[in-house]
C-alpha cells in the first residue's frame, strides 16, 4: 500500500480558520497482523499524546497566508515567498482529551477519514489548496459561529480578522 498521511484538525487563533494538519506519513502495509494492529494503535496514540502535551503550536494557516501575502494559497505554494506561521490549537471533540486522527484515503485530492479517536467521520476540504475545512463537516460537532475568512469578501466585512492577522504579523495593512 502507498504511503498515506495521517492528520488532525487545528484552529488558527488569529483568524479562526479550521484546517487539516498532516502529522506523519505512514505505510499502513507495515502494520500487518494482530501485532501490527497494536503497533498502529500505539502510533496513533503517540501522535495524540504529542498534540495533547503541546496543544498550541505555530502552524502555516492557509487563511493568514492569503491575507498577509495578498495571494491565493496555491499561488504562494508556487512562489518563493516565506511561510507565514500563526498560533494554532489542536482540536479535540466532545470533551475528549485527545485529538482525532484522520487518514488521507483520497487519490489525488485529499479526502480524510477518521481512523482513531472522536471527531467528524469525514473531513472535506474547501476547493482551494491549503487544507481549509469545508464548514459543512462541522454540522452536529459542536462548532458554532465559524468566522473563517472568505477570500471574495470585502476588507470591511473581515476587518477584525485582517487587523488581528496584520498586527500579529507586524505587517502594515494594504489600504483599499
Amino acid at each position: 500500500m502507498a504511503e498515506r498521511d495521517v492528520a488532525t484538525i487545528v484552529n488558527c487563533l488569529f483568524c479562526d480558520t479550521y484546517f487539516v494538519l498532516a502529522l506523519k506519513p505512514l505505510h499502513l502495509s507495515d502494520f500487518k497482523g494482530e501485532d501490527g494492529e497494536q503497533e498502529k494503535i500505539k502510533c496513533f496514540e503517540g501522535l495524540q499524546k504529542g498534540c495533547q502535551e503541546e496543544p498550541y503550536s505555530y502552524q502555516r494557516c492557509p487563511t493568514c497566508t492569503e491575507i498577509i501575502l495578498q495571494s491565493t494559497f496555491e499561488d504562494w505554494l508556487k512562489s518563493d515567498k516565506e511561510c507565514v506561521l500563526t498560533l494554532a490549537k489542536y482540536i479535540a471533540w466532545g470533551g475528549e482529551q485527545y485529538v482525532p486522527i484522520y487518514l488521507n484515503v483520497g487519490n489525488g485530492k485529499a479526502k480524510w477519514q477518521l481512523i482513531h479517536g472522536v471527531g467528524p467521520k469525514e473531513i472535506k476540504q474547501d476547493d482551494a489548496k491549503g487544507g481549509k475545512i469545508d464548514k459543512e463537516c462541522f454540522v452536529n460537532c459542536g462548532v458554532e459561529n465559524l468566522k473563517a475568512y472568505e477570500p471574495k469578501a470585502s476588507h470591511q466585512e473581515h476587518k477584525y480578522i485582517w487587523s488581528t492577522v496584520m498586527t500579529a504579523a507586524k505587517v502594515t495593512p494594504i489600504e483599499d
Side-chain angles (χ1 to χ4, degrees):
M1 179 179 258
E3 184 175 83
R4 299 286 182 162
D5 283 333
V6 291
T8 194
I9 299 171
V10 294
N11 176 227
C12 177
L13 299 181
F14 290 129
C15 73
D16 201 34
T17 295
Y18 289 79
F19 59 98
V20 174
L21 178 67
L23 298 172
K24 180 178 185 165
L26 287 181
H27 286 279
L28 294 179
S29 60
D30 292 345
F31 301 103
K32 293 183 179 177
E34 192 173 308
D35 289 341
E37 188 63 28
Q38 292 300 319
E39 287 299 314
K40 182 170 61 173
I41 289 170
K42 282 183 187 177
C43 175
F44 297 152
E45 288 174 350
L47 292 170
Q48 288 177 312
K49 187 175 180 180
C51 293
Q52 181 209 17
E53 289 173 355
E54 298 288 334
Y56 300 94
S57 65
Y58 285 95
Q59 298 296 334
R60 174 232 12 99
C61 171
T63 299
C64 290
T65 297
E66 290 175 350
I67 292 171
I68 292 168
L69 300 179
Q70 296 291 299
S71 69
T72 66
F73 191 81
E74 189 172 276
D75 287 344
W76 170 75
L77 286 172
K78 297 173 189 173
S79 76
D80 60 355
K81 294 179 182 176
E82 291 186 11
C83 180
V84 175
L85 298 177
T86 56
L87 190 62
K89 182 180 194 292
Y90 296 101
I91 300 299
W93 301 91
E96 290 292 314
Q97 184 176 6
Y98 296 107
V99 300
I101 302 294
Y102 293 88
L103 177 69
N104 182 1
V105 296
N107 292 319
K109 185 176 180 180
K111 182 179 178 183
W112 302 95
Q113 287 186 343
L114 181 68
I115 55 170
H116 193 78
V118 176
K121 300 291 181 211
E122 183 176 281
I123 296 297
K124 295 178 184 170
Q125 293 174 250
D126 69 5
D127 291 335
K129 301 284 184 187
K132 286 187 266 186
I133 297 173
D134 185 330
K135 295 173 192 176
E136 293 298 313
C137 294
F138 296 126
V139 173
N140 300 320
C141 291
V143 177
E144 299 174 8
N145 301 322
L146 290 176
K147 298 179 279 187
Y149 168 78
E150 299 292 341
K152 294 179 183 174
S154 74
H155 175 83
Q156 291 301 320
E157 289 176 87
H158 295 286
K159 188 173 181 178
Y160 67 96
I161 294 175
W162 281 70
S163 175
T164 303
V165 171
M166 293 301 190
T167 300
K170 296 185 174 80
V171 174
T172 304
I174 297 173
E175 297 297 323
D176 288 340

